[in-house]
Amino acid sequence: MKLLLSTTNALNKWLKADLPRFPAKEGQRVGVHVLASDEQALCWQLYIIDNAYKSRDKTIIACEANSRFTVFIPVDIKLTLDELATRLQMEWQYSLAETLQQLRPCQIVRLLCY
């Protein structure tokens, strides 16, 4: 499964990445695209905020496109795209494992059937 990350300009600049923009259709605002996860790709929208004015401590906010499940990733050093993708996957899997651990077995079966 592919991991598709859609980042804000601020995050793109912070990462010092030269990520391509989605092409805009005629009459469509630049940067406005519908993301949807499917069997082929898991899509996340990513933002970055300063924890304090001009602080190097920041928080990356990752929101999954379909479920709107949100993960907060605190950072204090620049990450590469691969490091960001790995960190996001780890945080998401950890949150999923924690959620499943809190559910009773019958709830897990019901959750996995949907």
Side-chain angles (χ1 to χ4, degrees):
M1 178 178 279
K2 256 186 184 172
L3 186 64
L4 176 67
L5 305 178
S6 175
T7 65
T8 60
N9 284 336
L11 181 55
N12 194 25
K13 287 177 187 174
W14 184 79
L15 291 170
K16 293 191 177 168
D18 189 20
L19 300 174
R21 283 186 178 267
F22 283 118
K25 296 177 184 170
E26 188 70 31
Q28 183 183 25
R29 289 183 14 214
V30 175
V32 179
H33 296 278
V34 176
L35 291 178
S37 297
D38 57 24
E39 301 84 26
Q40 305 301 319
L42 186 60
C43 301
W44 291 84
Q45 296 168 314
L46 290 104
Y47 310 87
I48 191 165
I49 58 172
D50 289 326
N51 290 357
Y53 182 71
K54 292 194 177 188
S55 169
R56 79 176 193 172
D57 296 326
K58 308 206 180 297
T59 300
I60 296 174
I61 303 167
C63 185
E64 195 278 323
N66 288 359
S67 67
R68 309 314 279 167
F69 179 82
T70 304
V71 175
F72 296 90
I73 303 171
V75 291
D76 59 358
I77 58 169
K78 291 206 185 307
L79 303 172
T80 66
L81 284 173
D82 289 337
E83 290 170 337
L84 176 57
T86 300
R87 182 96 179 262
L88 174 59
Q89 289 174 336
M90 287 175 35
E91 294 289 340
W92 175 60
Q93 290 171 4
Y94 177 75
S95 294
L96 179 62
E98 283 287 314
T99 301
L100 291 174
Q101 188 177 25
Q102 298 300 318
L103 296 174
R104 292 184 297 229
C106 63
Q107 290 173 313
I108 293 173
V109 171
R110 215 173 311 138
L111 178 67
L112 295 176
C113 290
Y114 287 109

